[in-house]
Amino acid sequence: MNIIIQAVLFTALLIYIAVKDAQTREISPYLCIGIACLSLLDFHSENLLGLGIPVILWACATWICPEQLGGGDIKLTAAVSVLIGFTATAYGIIIAFTLELLIFQQIKRKLTKQGARNYAMPLAPFLAVGFLITYFMKLGGLTI
């Protein structure tokens, strides 16, 4: 029963975060705390290793592209990593970045070169899709 409650609340929170990020380009830390608290419904101590993923993202964001990745995205990734673990979080990020790249390529064709360079897309909707895919794969019994 806890798994069903966790799945419903996780899905609802991620969808809400994705919509709010698309509208306001801001992710509330309270929503991230809510996602992290969902891990208490089915806690696995090995999922704490997933906190290594946000550290890697933070390092890349500050070193490679300091103005491209927001703090809300990193907090969201940290919260989700506690819930789904290291491997599932990594796969979710790969799915999210791949989707964002594919959609950006479609948008880039319609924009001028200068317009495409200055175009910024919210990351949370793509993270939500990637994390939900890996969460439900893991929930369904696929080993990731």
Side-chain angles (χ1 to χ4, degrees):
M1 188 63 179
N2 285 346
I3 300 293
I4 295 170
I5 294 169
Q6 183 186 55
V8 169
L9 290 174
F10 181 60
T11 303
L13 281 172
L14 273 182
I15 291 171
Y16 182 75
I17 287 170
V19 169
K20 289 303 278 184
D21 190 41
Q23 292 173 346
T24 64
R25 304 269 202 228
E26 189 174 310
I27 299 173
S28 169
Y30 299 112
L31 295 171
C32 296
I33 292 169
I35 288 178
C37 288
L38 287 177
S39 68
L40 298 174
L41 292 174
D42 186 36
F43 184 75
H44 299 285
S45 59
E46 64 269 9
N47 286 357
L48 294 175
L49 294 174
L51 290 172
I53 295 286
V55 171
I56 294 167
L57 279 178
W58 176 76
C60 290
T62 56
W63 182 52
I64 297 172
C65 50
E67 299 298 322
Q68 299 299 318
L69 190 62
D73 299 319
I74 295 170
K75 288 180 222 168
L76 175 62
T77 304
V80 171
S81 69
V82 172
L83 182 70
I84 65 176
F86 185 87
T87 309
T89 302
Y91 286 141
I93 289 172
I94 291 169
I95 292 168
F97 285 162
T98 303
L99 286 173
E100 187 169 31
L101 179 64
L102 292 173
I103 290 176
F104 182 73
Q105 290 298 324
Q106 296 299 319
I107 292 171
K108 184 178 170 183
R109 290 182 186 160
K110 296 178 183 175
L111 297 174
T112 64
K113 191 170 190 172
Q114 186 65 23
R117 186 170 302 193
N118 295 329
Y119 188 75
M121 293 174 55
L123 184 59
F126 301 102
L127 287 174
V129 170
F131 291 149
L132 285 173
I133 288 171
T134 57
Y135 176 78
F136 284 108
M137 286 174 62
K138 190 174 180 179
L139 191 64
L142 291 175
T143 305
I144 39 178

